[in-house]
Amino acid sequence: MTTDTRTSRAVAEQFVERLGRQDQDAIQELFAPEIDWHVPGSDDLPWTGRRSRREEVAPYFTTMWPVFEPGKSQVELERVIVDGGDVMLLGIFTHTVAANGEEFTTPSAMHLQVQDGQIVRMHLYEDTLAVHQAFNPGGE
């Protein structure tokens, strides 16, 4: 079933707002029971990879957020592009790794797909090498 642009934009705005509040349970509520979720990255980073169920969304955030220094993350949302059920969120992420103090910045693109008012797909595109290097400074 198709989703109109207005609905997709509203769901994306809710997603961004809940993300800003770091409300993982409220974020999870926006997702359909079965999802196509992909965050590429190193096997050393437990939040990266694929997920296929709504129940896996909140643990993604509760696994990832604690590895960054509180209050030192910045997300600059530069553009939201909506076409029917497809939403592209374009921005820049800056984080500081809590374990070693390394700061990194990466441009990012997040592709959400909305169907029947729920997110069915979330793919994140970012500089995975920059992320890996921040967690492994001076290493391979």
Side-chain angles (χ1 to χ4, degrees):
M1 177 163 289
T2 62
T3 300
D4 64 71
T5 297
R6 185 178 314 161
T7 299
S8 297
R9 182 175 295 279
V11 171
E13 287 172 354
Q14 289 177 328
F15 176 80
V16 169
E17 186 272 328
R18 293 173 186 192
L19 190 59
R21 286 191 282 130
Q22 291 196 343
D23 188 342
Q24 70 275 352
D25 295 326
I27 295 167
Q28 181 170 282
E29 291 171 1
L30 296 172
F31 285 79
E34 293 183 18
I35 59 173
D36 173 13
W37 173 294
H38 187 221
V39 175
S42 168
D43 291 340
D44 296 338
L45 306 177
W47 63 88
T48 62
R50 295 192 176 274
R51 289 167 172 69
S52 60
R53 309 276 314 145
R54 173 192 294 146
E55 296 79 24
E56 297 172 296
V57 172
Y60 165 84
F61 294 105
T62 57
T63 301
M64 180 186 65
W65 285 332
V67 303
F68 299 125
E69 285 193 31
K72 290 197 174 182
S73 291
Q74 295 177 344
V75 176
E76 182 182 339
L77 185 60
E78 296 180 322
R79 177 166 253 189
V80 178
I81 303 166
V82 185
D83 181 15
D86 291 301
V87 179
M88 289 299 299
L89 302 172
L90 304 175
I92 299 172
F93 295 157
T94 300
H95 298 292
T96 301
V97 178
N100 62 22
E102 286 289 317
E103 181 182 278
F104 67 95
T105 298
T106 175
S108 66
M110 186 179 298
H111 179 198
L112 302 177
Q113 191 171 53
V114 178
Q115 288 180 359
D116 299 325
Q118 295 183 310
I119 301 170
V120 297
R121 180 178 199 244
M122 193 293 296
H123 285 202
L124 178 66
Y125 308 97
E126 63 184 353
D127 183 348
T128 56
L129 180 59
V131 177
H132 177 78
Q133 288 175 335
F135 281 88
N136 300 284
E140 289 289 320

